[in-house]
Every structure is written in structure tokens, then in C-alpha cells.
Amino acid sequence: MKITIVCVGKLKEAYWKGAIAEYSKRLGRYLKLEIIELPDEKAPETMSPAQELEVKDKEGLRILKSIKDDAFVVALAVEGKMLSSEELAAFMADKGVRGVSHIAFVIGGSLGLSKEVMKRADYALSFSKMTFPHQMMRVVLLEQIYRAERINRNEPYHK
């Protein structure tokens, strides 16, 4: 299985980079991992709804250009379906059984994902009704993918 994480915004802090590197290394024994980091759109602190839409659309175009045609796309969105770790593991295993060899997880910028990205998504996944920084979500997502791989192999870790 190939997993691509498409994310808007750069990691700046060393502790996030360290966590990403650690989970990337751990996942390397289970799957092929690719992280595509896209620049966020520069925007003023206060924006009109039209300006917010424009920012999301510009970021969305970058996201869509980086998603391969063969990818099953999972958008991380507050309005998505919440899954337990075991349910995420079963979801990923089911995709593999059904012939999906490439899953792309998409993490938007601070304003979320554009309508076009949500249309391209095959599934919307929510980790919470709360909003989290995209840097943190990258780490949480990688940890949950790692946990899912361990669960699917009946390896200790997930309890």
C-alpha cells in the first residue's frame, strides 16, 4: 500500500519535524509513504467571506494538482465521519482487499478545504469536532496510520 499525505503549510518547529520523522521511519516497514507539503496562501488576519473562499480555492488547486488519478482520497474535515482506531484499521484493510493500492490523505490549511477538493474526495474523515493546527494533525494522522498497521497485523502497540 502507498500512503500519500498532502498537506498545506510548512512545518517550522523542530519537535513537529522530529515526530514526523519518527513515524515516517516506523511506517517504512509497512508501506510506502509520501508527504507532499504545499505552501499556504498568504492572507490577511481579517478577511471577508469572498477572500476566504479565494484562499481556499487557490490552496485547493494546489492540492488537486498533487493528487494522483489512481488515489483513493480521504479528506480530513470536521464534517467527516469519526472512526475509532480499530475502525480506521478496518477501513484501510478493506481498501486493500478491494484493490485500492494508494490512499491519499488531505490536510487543508487554516481555512479548511475547498469545495473542489471535497468533491474529489472519496471519503471525509474527522478526528474531532475541534479544530487543530495542521502541523499537529500531520503527527496525529501518521500516528493513527501506524496504529492501524499494527492493529491489522495483530502486533502490540494499540492498547
Side-chain angles (χ1 to χ4, degrees), residues 5-64:
I5 298 177
V6 180
C7 39
V8 174
K10 289 203 171 284
L11 288 182
K12 297 175 184 92
E13 295 84 358
Y15 53 89
W16 294 130
K17 290 179 183 177
I20 298 294
E22 177 61 28
Y23 282 110
S24 296
K25 182 178 88 175
R26 289 183 188 192
L27 280 164
R29 62 187 280 218
Y30 300 114
L31 49 82
K32 184 176 181 345
L33 177 68
E34 176 185 29
I35 298 175
I36 300 172
E37 193 174 78
L38 302 171
D40 53 354
E41 192 63 28
K42 302 297 176 223
E45 279 295 313
T46 56
M47 291 182 277
S48 69
Q51 288 172 311
E52 286 184 9
L53 188 62
E54 184 180 345
V55 167
K56 286 198 312 190
D57 286 346
K58 286 180 180 178
E59 290 175 348
L61 285 174
R62 287 188 203 118
I63 290 168
L64 292 169

Side-chain angles (χ1 to χ4, degrees), residues 6-9 59 63 76 106-114 132-134:
V6 180
C7 39
V8 174
E59 290 175 348
I63 290 168
L76 272 61
V106 179
I107 303 171
S110 62
L111 298 175
L113 296 169
S114 70
F132 294 100
H134 61 86

